[in-house]
Amino acid sequence: MTLRYIALGLDYDTYIKTDNKLRYQFQLHTRFISNYFSKAIRKYKFDTNGTFNMISISLLPDNGSVETKITAINVLETYLPFDQKRYEQIKGTEDCSYYLELLEQGFKKASEFKPIPLDTLLNLIGGI
């Protein structure tokens, strides 16, 4: 199995219950980044030894904490705190620095759990 997908979003299970509108809005603002990284990483054909084909960076409220794990649908899912104030400041602008910071932190955290092409992913961030 190769790494084919990268996703950044608010944790579905948490925000679907509390603020689905915010979750959906965040998704609309970050989908282009997930698409860009998904297409870019496929060129490297990174073999994951059959354990996952997607890295998902799920954001939780500041007080939330969940360990990185492989989910039943072949996803390496890692969790980070969501800074809603930072998000509110940049949403609707062309400033994607917060999203790129989240990706960098998420990739580093995921690499502590399973081998991933960390250098490649960080270089992709640097190339933007």
Side-chain angles (χ1 to χ4, degrees):
M1 189 175 304
T2 59
L3 179 57
R4 297 188 48 79
Y5 306 101
I6 305 292
L8 173 66
L10 299 184
D11 182 60
Y12 182 83
D13 291 335
T14 301
Y15 285 94
I16 194 75
K17 299 171 190 170
T18 60
D19 196 346
N20 190 42
K21 184 177 177 182
L22 174 65
R23 184 197 63 79
Y24 181 70
Q25 185 181 67
F26 186 88
Q27 199 72 23
L28 291 176
H29 287 115
T30 60
R31 186 172 200 102
F32 75 98
I33 291 176
S34 297
N35 286 339
Y36 171 82
F37 278 90
S38 293
K39 289 179 181 179
I41 199 61
R42 290 175 192 161
K43 296 174 187 173
Y44 297 93
K45 298 180 178 158
F46 179 76
D47 182 25
T48 65
N49 293 322
T51 54
F52 62 95
N53 65 359
M54 177 181 192
I55 297 174
S56 175
I57 300 164
S58 294
L59 307 177
L60 297 167
D62 287 334
N63 58 355
S65 177
V66 178
E67 294 295 318
T68 300
K69 62 186 174 189
I70 299 286
T71 65
I73 52 173
N74 302 323
V75 176
L76 173 55
E77 191 157 23
T78 193
Y79 301 87
L80 296 173
F82 175 54
D83 185 344
Q84 188 170 346
K85 289 180 184 174
R86 276 196 72 193
Y87 168 66
E88 295 293 340
Q89 290 173 342
I90 66 164
K91 79 175 182 182
T93 71
E94 292 184 17
D95 181 5
C96 1
S97 59
Y98 178 53
Y99 310 138
L100 296 175
E101 286 175 33
L102 290 169
L103 286 170
E104 181 177 346
Q105 291 171 23
F107 294 151
K108 288 178 179 178
K109 188 172 179 185
S111 74
E112 295 170 5
F113 184 78
K114 284 277 190 184
I116 64 169
L118 181 60
D119 290 339
T120 301
L121 291 165
L122 295 179
N123 284 336
L124 289 172
I125 291 172
I128 293 179

